[in-house]
Amino acid sequence: MNWIDRLALFHPADALAVVLILAAWLGIGWRIENPPAGRPSTVTLMAEYRREWMRQMVTREPRIFDSQILTSLRAATSFFASSTLIAIGGALALMGNAEHLTGVANQLVLEDDPAILWEIKLLLVLLFLTNGFLKFVWSNRLFGYCAVLMGAVPNDPEDPGALTLAAKAAEINITAARSFNRGLRSIYFSLASIAWALGPAGLICGTLVTCAMLWRREFVSRSRAVLLEGHALAPRRPETHTDVT
């Protein structure tokens, strides 16, 4: 069976559902990172607090508190990278044991679909998981760069290079956090893609629920409201990034 024959096993609604989830993944990521000027997302609000963190670090002695925060951030990226790698291994194991997967999946949809169909559906899950793993690894490395830059910031607040280096550390920190958030979104959409086991309608529903959850957390959540209360930091207009995954 060639790839054309394999793809013929799918209904056009499956193709529509896959296009929808990929478009939603890219689209909501772009909107979160590039929100309207008058309605900042939680991510853009936190970016300004990260810049303020680095400005405050210049005058803080000792800087153990700052190093502890960065250590916790790197620990989170390591945890998610390891967890995602385990999930990738589990998905590959399922693909290698397609007979059991097919039996369980066909019981869910009450149909008798071939194993290759379910293996192809798992590829979508693997796509999101792999992207998430790569983002978490890159985020961990960027937080490492940030640690080096923080260490290079002079202890003397009067040093003319102190604020410049602190600003560089802040931008690297923000870039690392952006990569981490992209990894999290990939995990969310990998969970949504599992709903494809219920058919294209399941995948579409999973996509809509995931988008609604992300939108709520970024634009109407209580945590965002707390960040905005007495918000004295003026959010910058975020730069447009072509790599939104």
Side-chain angles (χ1 to χ4, degrees), residues 159-206:
D159 190 301
L163 288 177
T164 300
L165 283 172
K168 289 182 178 180
E171 295 308 313
I172 295 295
N173 193 296
I174 291 168
T175 304
R178 183 185 304 122
S179 185
F180 181 77
N181 288 325
R182 289 173 178 176
L184 286 180
R185 286 197 295 272
S186 291
I187 297 300
Y188 294 150
F189 278 99
S190 72
L191 294 174
S193 65
I194 295 175
W196 199 6
L198 302 176
L203 182 58
I204 292 173
C205 288

mmCIF file of all heavy atoms in Angstrom, residues 159-206:
data_model
loop_
_atom_site.group_PDB
_atom_site.id
_atom_site.type_symbol
_atom_site.label_atom_id
_atom_site.label_comp_id
_atom_site.label_asym_id
_atom_site.label_seq_id
_atom_site.Cartn_x
_atom_site.Cartn_y
_atom_site.Cartn_z
ATOM 1 N N ASP A 159 27.906 51.831 37.320
ATOM 2 C CA ASP A 159 28.651 51.433 36.126
ATOM 3 C C ASP A 159 27.791 51.706 34.896
ATOM 4 O O ASP A 159 26.633 51.265 34.823
ATOM 5 C CB ASP A 159 29.005 49.949 36.212
ATOM 6 C CG ASP A 159 29.980 49.522 35.139
ATOM 7 O OD1 ASP A 159 29.659 49.684 33.943
ATOM 8 O OD2 ASP A 159 31.061 49.014 35.491
ATOM 9 N N PRO A 160 28.323 52.398 33.898
ATOM 10 C CA PRO A 160 27.517 52.750 32.714
ATOM 11 C C PRO A 160 27.046 51.534 31.913
ATOM 12 O O PRO A 160 26.075 51.622 31.166
ATOM 13 C CB PRO A 160 28.457 53.632 31.886
ATOM 14 C CG PRO A 160 29.837 53.292 32.366
ATOM 15 C CD PRO A 160 29.694 52.948 33.825
ATOM 16 N N GLY A 161 27.727 50.394 32.078
ATOM 17 C CA GLY A 161 27.333 49.202 31.329
ATOM 18 C C GLY A 161 26.355 48.310 32.063
ATOM 19 O O GLY A 161 25.870 47.327 31.488
ATOM 20 N N ALA A 162 26.021 48.640 33.311
ATOM 21 C CA ALA A 162 25.181 47.764 34.127
ATOM 22 C C ALA A 162 23.778 47.611 33.537
ATOM 23 O O ALA A 162 23.286 46.498 33.326
ATOM 24 C CB ALA A 162 25.109 48.282 35.554
ATOM 25 N N LEU A 163 23.121 48.729 33.273
ATOM 26 C CA LEU A 163 21.760 48.664 32.750
ATOM 27 C C LEU A 163 21.704 48.078 31.347
ATOM 28 O O LEU A 163 20.737 47.402 30.983
ATOM 29 C CB LEU A 163 21.129 50.059 32.765
ATOM 30 C CG LEU A 163 20.754 50.605 34.151
ATOM 31 C CD1 LEU A 163 20.212 52.031 34.040
ATOM 32 C CD2 LEU A 163 19.732 49.701 34.836
ATOM 33 N N THR A 164 22.731 48.324 30.560
ATOM 34 C CA THR A 164 22.774 47.761 29.205
ATOM 35 C C THR A 164 22.835 46.244 29.245
ATOM 36 O O THR A 164 22.098 45.555 28.534
ATOM 37 C CB THR A 164 23.985 48.314 28.436
ATOM 38 O OG1 THR A 164 23.880 49.740 28.350
ATOM 39 C CG2 THR A 164 24.043 47.724 27.029
ATOM 40 N N LEU A 165 23.728 45.713 30.096
ATOM 41 C CA LEU A 165 23.828 44.260 30.225
ATOM 42 C C LEU A 165 22.569 43.668 30.848
ATOM 43 O O LEU A 165 22.124 42.578 30.463
ATOM 44 C CB LEU A 165 25.052 43.908 31.074
ATOM 45 C CG LEU A 165 26.406 44.011 30.377
ATOM 46 C CD1 LEU A 165 27.543 43.819 31.375
ATOM 47 C CD2 LEU A 165 26.505 42.973 29.255
ATOM 48 N N ALA A 166 21.973 44.382 31.797
ATOM 49 C CA ALA A 166 20.735 43.910 32.412
ATOM 50 C C ALA A 166 19.617 43.836 31.372
ATOM 51 O O ALA A 166 18.803 42.903 31.379
ATOM 52 C CB ALA A 166 20.334 44.820 33.561
ATOM 53 N N ALA A 167 19.575 44.820 30.469
ATOM 54 C CA ALA A 167 18.565 44.814 29.416
ATOM 55 C C ALA A 167 18.774 43.635 28.464
ATOM 56 O O ALA A 167 17.804 43.002 28.010
ATOM 57 C CB ALA A 167 18.614 46.128 28.640
ATOM 58 N N LYS A 168 20.034 43.321 28.164
ATOM 59 C CA LYS A 168 20.322 42.161 27.315
ATOM 60 C C LYS A 168 19.872 40.870 27.996
ATOM 61 O O LYS A 168 19.278 39.988 27.362
ATOM 62 C CB LYS A 168 21.812 42.094 26.995
ATOM 63 C CG LYS A 168 22.302 43.179 26.045
ATOM 64 C CD LYS A 168 23.782 42.994 25.745
ATOM 65 C CE LYS A 168 24.276 44.045 24.756
ATOM 66 N NZ LYS A 168 25.721 43.877 24.441
ATOM 67 N N ALA A 169 20.171 40.763 29.292
ATOM 68 C CA ALA A 169 19.746 39.579 30.043
ATOM 69 C C ALA A 169 18.227 39.448 30.025
ATOM 70 O O ALA A 169 17.685 38.348 29.903
ATOM 71 C CB ALA A 169 20.265 39.657 31.477
ATOM 72 N N ALA A 170 17.530 40.585 30.139
ATOM 73 C CA ALA A 170 16.066 40.556 30.138
ATOM 74 C C ALA A 170 15.526 40.049 28.801
ATOM 75 O O ALA A 170 14.598 39.230 28.770
ATOM 76 C CB ALA A 170 15.522 41.957 30.423
ATOM 77 N N GLU A 171 16.103 40.512 27.691
ATOM 78 C CA GLU A 171 15.609 40.090 26.374
ATOM 79 C C GLU A 171 15.867 38.602 26.134
ATOM 80 O O GLU A 171 15.032 37.910 25.545
ATOM 81 C CB GLU A 171 16.243 40.935 25.274
ATOM 82 C CG GLU A 171 15.844 42.410 25.321
ATOM 83 C CD GLU A 171 14.341 42.604 25.371
ATOM 84 O OE1 GLU A 171 13.625 41.962 24.570
ATOM 85 O OE2 GLU A 171 13.866 43.395 26.214
ATOM 86 N N ILE A 172 17.026 38.101 26.583
ATOM 87 C CA ILE A 172 17.288 36.662 26.465
ATOM 88 C C ILE A 172 16.321 35.881 27.342
ATOM 89 O O ILE A 172 15.806 34.818 26.952
ATOM 90 C CB ILE A 172 18.746 36.338 26.849
ATOM 91 C CG1 ILE A 172 19.716 36.974 25.845
ATOM 92 C CG2 ILE A 172 18.972 34.826 26.903
ATOM 93 C CD1 ILE A 172 19.601 36.422 24.441
ATOM 94 N N ASN A 173 16.040 36.400 28.532
ATOM 95 C CA ASN A 173 15.087 35.760 29.432
ATOM 96 C C ASN A 173 13.701 35.699 28.795
ATOM 97 O O ASN A 173 13.009 34.668 28.871
ATOM 98 C CB ASN A 173 15.036 36.546 30.744
ATOM 99 C CG ASN A 173 14.330 35.797 31.857
ATOM 100 O OD1 ASN A 173 13.144 35.520 31.764
ATOM 101 N ND2 ASN A 173 15.055 35.498 32.918
ATOM 102 N N ILE A 174 13.288 36.789 28.162
ATOM 103 C CA ILE A 174 11.983 36.830 27.495
ATOM 104 C C ILE A 174 11.932 35.853 26.328
ATOM 105 O O ILE A 174 10.928 35.160 26.115
ATOM 106 C CB ILE A 174 11.686 38.268 27.012
ATOM 107 C CG1 ILE A 174 11.442 39.180 28.222
ATOM 108 C CG2 ILE A 174 10.486 38.302 26.071
ATOM 109 C CD1 ILE A 174 11.429 40.649 27.882
ATOM 110 N N THR A 175 13.016 35.769 25.572
ATOM 111 C CA THR A 175 13.073 34.828 24.451
ATOM 112 C C THR A 175 12.983 33.391 24.948
ATOM 113 O O THR A 175 12.303 32.551 24.340
ATOM 114 C CB THR A 175 14.369 35.024 23.649
ATOM 115 O OG1 THR A 175 14.469 36.379 23.228
ATOM 116 C CG2 THR A 175 14.385 34.129 22.417
ATOM 117 N N ALA A 176 13.654 33.099 26.060
ATOM 118 C CA ALA A 176 13.579 31.751 26.646
ATOM 119 C C ALA A 176 12.160 31.436 27.097
ATOM 120 O O ALA A 176 11.657 30.326 26.883
ATOM 121 C CB ALA A 176 14.546 31.648 27.827
ATOM 122 N N ALA A 177 11.514 32.414 27.737
ATOM 123 C CA ALA A 177 10.135 32.209 28.188
ATOM 124 C C ALA A 177 9.195 32.016 27.003
ATOM 125 O O ALA A 177 8.261 31.210 27.059
ATOM 126 C CB ALA A 177 9.683 33.402 29.029
ATOM 127 N N ARG A 178 9.439 32.756 25.905
ATOM 128 C CA ARG A 178 8.609 32.598 24.709
ATOM 129 C C ARG A 178 8.728 31.179 24.168
ATOM 130 O O ARG A 178 7.719 30.551 23.797
ATOM 131 C CB ARG A 178 9.037 33.611 23.650
ATOM 132 C CG ARG A 178 8.178 33.576 22.385
ATOM 133 C CD ARG A 178 8.713 34.512 21.310
ATOM 134 N NE ARG A 178 8.820 35.863 21.813
ATOM 135 C CZ ARG A 178 9.943 36.574 21.854
ATOM 136 N NH1 ARG A 178 11.080 36.032 21.423
ATOM 137 N NH2 ARG A 178 9.953 37.799 22.305
ATOM 138 N N SER A 179 9.936 30.662 24.118
ATOM 139 C CA SER A 179 10.133 29.296 23.636
ATOM 140 C C SER A 179 9.456 28.288 24.565
ATOM 141 O O SER A 179 8.847 27.311 24.104
ATOM 142 C CB SER A 179 11.636 28.996 23.530
ATOM 143 O OG SER A 179 11.857 27.728 22.961
ATOM 144 N N PHE A 180 9.538 28.537 25.866
ATOM 145 C CA PHE A 180 8.884 27.651 26.830
ATOM 146 C C PHE A 180 7.369 27.660 26.621
ATOM 147 O O PHE A 180 6.723 26.600 26.614
ATOM 148 C CB PHE A 180 9.230 28.096 28.249
ATOM 149 C CG PHE A 180 8.620 27.237 29.324
ATOM 150 C CD1 PHE A 180 9.159 25.997 29.630
ATOM 151 C CD2 PHE A 180 7.509 27.672 30.035
ATOM 152 C CE1 PHE A 180 8.601 25.203 30.622
ATOM 153 C CE2 PHE A 180 6.946 26.881 31.023
ATOM 154 C CZ PHE A 180 7.492 25.653 31.319
ATOM 155 N N ASN A 181 6.790 28.832 26.426
ATOM 156 C CA ASN A 181 5.346 28.928 26.212
ATOM 157 C C ASN A 181 4.929 28.253 24.910
ATOM 158 O O ASN A 181 3.858 27.640 24.826
ATOM 159 C CB ASN A 181 4.916 30.393 26.204
ATOM 160 C CG ASN A 181 4.969 31.015 27.588
ATOM 161 O OD1 ASN A 181 4.695 30.351 28.580
ATOM 162 N ND2 ASN A 181 5.330 32.291 27.665
ATOM 163 N N ARG A 182 5.768 28.347 23.884
ATOM 164 C CA ARG A 182 5.463 27.653 22.636
ATOM 165 C C ARG A 182 5.483 26.142 22.834
ATOM 166 O O ARG A 182 4.668 25.414 22.260
ATOM 167 C CB ARG A 182 6.474 28.057 21.562
ATOM 168 C CG ARG A 182 6.301 29.490 21.072
ATOM 169 C CD ARG A 182 7.422 29.904 20.136
ATOM 170 N NE ARG A 182 7.213 31.256 19.629
ATOM 171 C CZ ARG A 182 8.079 31.903 18.859
ATOM 172 N NH1 ARG A 182 9.209 31.310 18.500
ATOM 173 N NH2 ARG A 182 7.819 33.128 18.445
ATOM 174 N N GLY A 183 6.413 25.694 23.660
ATOM 175 C CA GLY A 183 6.446 24.271 23.975
ATOM 176 C C GLY A 183 5.196 23.823 24.696
ATOM 177 O O GLY A 183 4.635 22.760 24.403
ATOM 178 N N LEU A 184 4.728 24.632 25.648
ATOM 179 C CA LEU A 184 3.496 24.303 26.368
ATOM 180 C C LEU A 184 2.306 24.248 25.413
ATOM 181 O O LEU A 184 1.460 23.341 25.515
ATOM 182 C CB LEU A 184 3.236 25.325 27.470
ATOM 183 C CG LEU A 184 4.112 25.239 28.719
ATOM 184 C CD1 LEU A 184 3.719 26.337 29.707
ATOM 185 C CD2 LEU A 184 3.985 23.872 29.395
ATOM 186 N N ARG A 185 2.230 25.206 24.487
ATOM 187 C CA ARG A 185 1.113 25.186 23.532
ATOM 188 C C ARG A 185 1.159 23.941 22.665
ATOM 189 O O ARG A 185 0.116 23.371 22.321
ATOM 190 C CB ARG A 185 1.135 26.449 22.669
ATOM 191 C CG ARG A 185 0.674 27.700 23.406
ATOM 192 C CD ARG A 185 0.316 28.810 22.431
ATOM 193 N NE ARG A 185 1.474 29.281 21.683
ATOM 194 C CZ ARG A 185 2.291 30.236 22.084
ATOM 195 N NH1 ARG A 185 2.108 30.818 23.262
ATOM 196 N NH2 ARG A 185 3.303 30.631 21.330
ATOM 197 N N SER A 186 2.351 23.494 22.320
ATOM 198 C CA SER A 186 2.469 22.263 21.543
ATOM 199 C C SER A 186 1.962 21.069 22.340
ATOM 200 O O SER A 186 1.310 20.169 21.777
ATOM 201 C CB SER A 186 3.931 22.030 21.132
ATOM 202 O OG SER A 186 4.352 22.989 20.189
ATOM 203 N N ILE A 187 2.221 21.060 23.634
ATOM 204 C CA ILE A 187 1.712 19.970 24.479
ATOM 205 C C ILE A 187 0.188 20.008 24.516
ATOM 206 O O ILE A 187 -0.488 18.975 24.405
ATOM 207 C CB ILE A 187 2.280 20.076 25.904
ATOM 208 C CG1 ILE A 187 3.803 19.916 25.893
ATOM 209 C CG2 ILE A 187 1.648 19.019 26.810
ATOM 210 C CD1 ILE A 187 4.282 18.599 25.351
ATOM 211 N N TYR A 188 -0.377 21.210 24.677
ATOM 212 C CA TYR A 188 -1.842 21.333 24.696
ATOM 213 C C TYR A 188 -2.448 20.793 23.404
ATOM 214 O O TYR A 188 -3.452 20.053 23.428
ATOM 215 C CB TYR A 188 -2.255 22.800 24.867
ATOM 216 C CG TYR A 188 -1.885 23.408 26.195
ATOM 217 C CD1 TYR A 188 -1.616 24.771 26.313
ATOM 218 C CD2 TYR A 188 -1.794 22.625 27.344
ATOM 219 C CE1 TYR A 188 -1.278 25.343 27.533
ATOM 220 C CE2 TYR A 188 -1.451 23.189 28.565
ATOM 221 C CZ TYR A 188 -1.192 24.542 28.657
ATOM 222 O OH TYR A 188 -0.854 25.097 29.860
ATOM 223 N N PHE A 189 -1.857 21.160 22.270
ATOM 224 C CA PHE A 189 -2.423 20.718 20.994
ATOM 225 C C PHE A 189 -2.134 19.238 20.728
ATOM 226 O O PHE A 189 -2.885 18.593 19.990
ATOM 227 C CB PHE A 189 -1.909 21.594 19.856
ATOM 228 C CG PHE A 189 -2.661 22.886 19.722
ATOM 229 C CD1 PHE A 189 -2.144 24.062 20.253
ATOM 230 C CD2 PHE A 189 -3.891 22.928 19.086
ATOM 231 C CE1 PHE A 189 -2.850 25.254 20.153
ATOM 232 C CE2 PHE A 189 -4.602 24.121 18.975
ATOM 233 C CZ PHE A 189 -4.081 25.281 19.517
ATOM 234 N N SER A 190 -1.081 18.704 21.303
ATOM 235 C CA SER A 190 -0.862 17.254 21.170
ATOM 236 C C SER A 190 -1.962 16.491 21.892
ATOM 237 O O SER A 190 -2.427 15.448 21.416
ATOM 238 C CB SER A 190 0.516 16.872 21.729
ATOM 239 O OG SER A 190 0.541 16.955 23.136
ATOM 240 N N LEU A 191 -2.396 17.021 23.045
ATOM 241 C CA LEU A 191 -3.509 16.394 23.757
ATOM 242 C C LEU A 191 -4.798 16.532 22.951
ATOM 243 O O LEU A 191 -5.609 15.595 22.893
ATOM 244 C CB LEU A 191 -3.673 17.033 25.130
ATOM 245 C CG LEU A 191 -2.512 16.811 26.114
ATOM 246 C CD1 LEU A 191 -2.731 17.609 27.396
ATOM 247 C CD2 LEU A 191 -2.359 15.324 26.439
ATOM 248 N N ALA A 192 -4.976 17.694 22.323
ATOM 249 C CA ALA A 192 -6.169 17.878 21.493
ATOM 250 C C ALA A 192 -6.174 16.920 20.308
ATOM 251 O O ALA A 192 -7.230 16.409 19.910
ATOM 252 C CB ALA A 192 -6.233 19.323 21.000
ATOM 253 N N SER A 193 -4.985 16.660 19.743
ATOM 254 C CA SER A 193 -4.913 15.792 18.563
ATOM 255 C C SER A 193 -5.251 14.340 18.879
ATOM 256 O O SER A 193 -5.612 13.577 17.984
ATOM 257 C CB SER A 193 -3.524 15.884 17.924
ATOM 258 O OG SER A 193 -2.523 15.379 18.793
ATOM 259 N N ILE A 194 -5.154 13.956 20.156
ATOM 260 C CA ILE A 194 -5.548 12.598 20.539
ATOM 261 C C ILE A 194 -7.033 12.385 20.272
ATOM 262 O O ILE A 194 -7.484 11.259 20.009
ATOM 263 C CB ILE A 194 -5.206 12.342 22.020
ATOM 264 C CG1 ILE A 194 -3.684 12.385 22.227
ATOM 265 C CG2 ILE A 194 -5.745 10.990 22.483
ATOM 266 C CD1 ILE A 194 -3.262 12.267 23.675
ATOM 267 N N ALA A 195 -7.813 13.470 20.320
ATOM 268 C CA ALA A 195 -9.258 13.369 20.078
ATOM 269 C C ALA A 195 -9.574 12.925 18.655
ATOM 270 O O ALA A 195 -10.728 12.597 18.352
ATOM 271 C CB ALA A 195 -9.926 14.707 20.374
ATOM 272 N N TRP A 196 -8.564 12.914 17.773
ATOM 273 C CA TRP A 196 -8.786 12.416 16.410
ATOM 274 C C TRP A 196 -9.186 10.951 16.438
ATOM 275 O O TRP A 196 -9.772 10.444 15.475
ATOM 276 C CB TRP A 196 -7.532 12.626 15.590
ATOM 277 C CG TRP A 196 -7.747 12.595 14.098
ATOM 278 C CD1 TRP A 196 -8.933 12.523 13.429
ATOM 279 C CD2 TRP A 196 -6.735 12.638 13.097
ATOM 280 N NE1 TRP A 196 -8.733 12.521 12.072
ATOM 281 C CE2 TRP A 196 -7.389 12.591 11.845
ATOM 282 C CE3 TRP A 196 -5.348 12.729 13.130
ATOM 283 C CZ2 TRP A 196 -6.695 12.620 10.643
ATOM 284 C CZ3 TRP A 196 -4.646 12.762 11.934
ATOM 285 C CH2 TRP A 196 -5.301 12.704 10.703
ATOM 286 N N ALA A 197 -8.886 10.250 17.520
ATOM 287 C CA ALA A 197 -9.309 8.850 17.649
ATOM 288 C C ALA A 197 -10.828 8.731 17.586
ATOM 289 O O ALA A 197 -11.369 7.664 17.267
ATOM 290 C CB ALA A 197 -8.794 8.260 18.956
ATOM 291 N N LEU A 198 -11.531 9.809 17.914
ATOM 292 C CA LEU A 198 -12.997 9.827 17.847
ATOM 293 C C LEU A 198 -13.515 10.304 16.501
ATOM 294 O O LEU A 198 -14.722 10.508 16.343
ATOM 295 C CB LEU A 198 -13.560 10.707 18.966
ATOM 296 C CG LEU A 198 -13.174 10.303 20.386
ATOM 297 C CD1 LEU A 198 -13.711 11.311 21.392
ATOM 298 C CD2 LEU A 198 -13.683 8.901 20.701
ATOM 299 N N GLY A 199 -12.598 10.524 15.554
ATOM 300 C CA GLY A 199 -12.994 10.984 14.239
ATOM 301 C C GLY A 199 -12.725 12.469 14.050
ATOM 302 O O GLY A 199 -12.294 13.162 14.973
ATOM 303 N N PRO A 200 -12.998 12.986 12.851
ATOM 304 C CA PRO A 200 -12.739 14.404 12.586
ATOM 305 C C PRO A 200 -13.530 15.336 13.498
ATOM 306 O O PRO A 200 -13.034 16.403 13.878
ATOM 307 C CB PRO A 200 -13.147 14.576 11.121
ATOM 308 C CG PRO A 200 -14.019 13.393 10.807
ATOM 309 C CD PRO A 200 -13.519 12.284 11.671
ATOM 310 N N ALA A 201 -14.743 14.957 13.857
ATOM 311 C CA ALA A 201 -15.533 15.796 14.759
ATOM 312 C C ALA A 201 -14.853 15.907 16.121
ATOM 313 O O ALA A 201 -14.828 16.979 16.732
ATOM 314 C CB ALA A 201 -16.939 15.226 14.922
ATOM 315 N N GLY A 202 -14.276 14.799 16.579
ATOM 316 C CA GLY A 202 -13.550 14.825 17.844
ATOM 317 C C GLY A 202 -12.342 15.727 17.785
ATOM 318 O O GLY A 202 -12.056 16.469 18.731
ATOM 319 N N LEU A 203 -11.609 15.681 16.664
ATOM 320 C CA LEU A 203 -10.423 16.533 16.511
ATOM 321 C C LEU A 203 -10.817 18.009 16.465
ATOM 322 O O LEU A 203 -10.151 18.855 17.071
ATOM 323 C CB LEU A 203 -9.661 16.143 15.242
ATOM 324 C CG LEU A 203 -8.374 16.914 14.959
ATOM 325 C CD1 LEU A 203 -7.396 16.783 16.116
ATOM 326 C CD2 LEU A 203 -7.721 16.424 13.673
ATOM 327 N N ILE A 204 -11.892 18.324 15.773
ATOM 328 C CA ILE A 204 -12.351 19.711 15.699
ATOM 329 C C ILE A 204 -12.782 20.208 17.077
ATOM 330 O O ILE A 204 -12.430 21.319 17.492
ATOM 331 C CB ILE A 204 -13.508 19.842 14.691
ATOM 332 C CG1 ILE A 204 -12.993 19.605 13.261
ATOM 333 C CG2 ILE A 204 -14.163 21.217 14.788
ATOM 334 C CD1 ILE A 204 -14.075 19.536 12.208
ATOM 335 N N CYS A 205 -13.504 19.376 17.809
ATOM 336 C CA CYS A 205 -13.933 19.758 19.163
ATOM 337 C C CYS A 205 -12.729 19.960 20.076
ATOM 338 O O CYS A 205 -12.675 20.916 20.861
ATOM 339 C CB CYS A 205 -14.873 18.705 19.730
ATOM 340 S SG CYS A 205 -16.508 18.677 18.966
ATOM 341 N N GLY A 206 -11.756 19.046 19.984
ATOM 342 C CA GLY A 206 -10.549 19.167 20.800
ATOM 343 C C GLY A 206 -9.793 20.448 20.495
ATOM 344 O O GLY A 206 -9.267 21.108 21.397
#
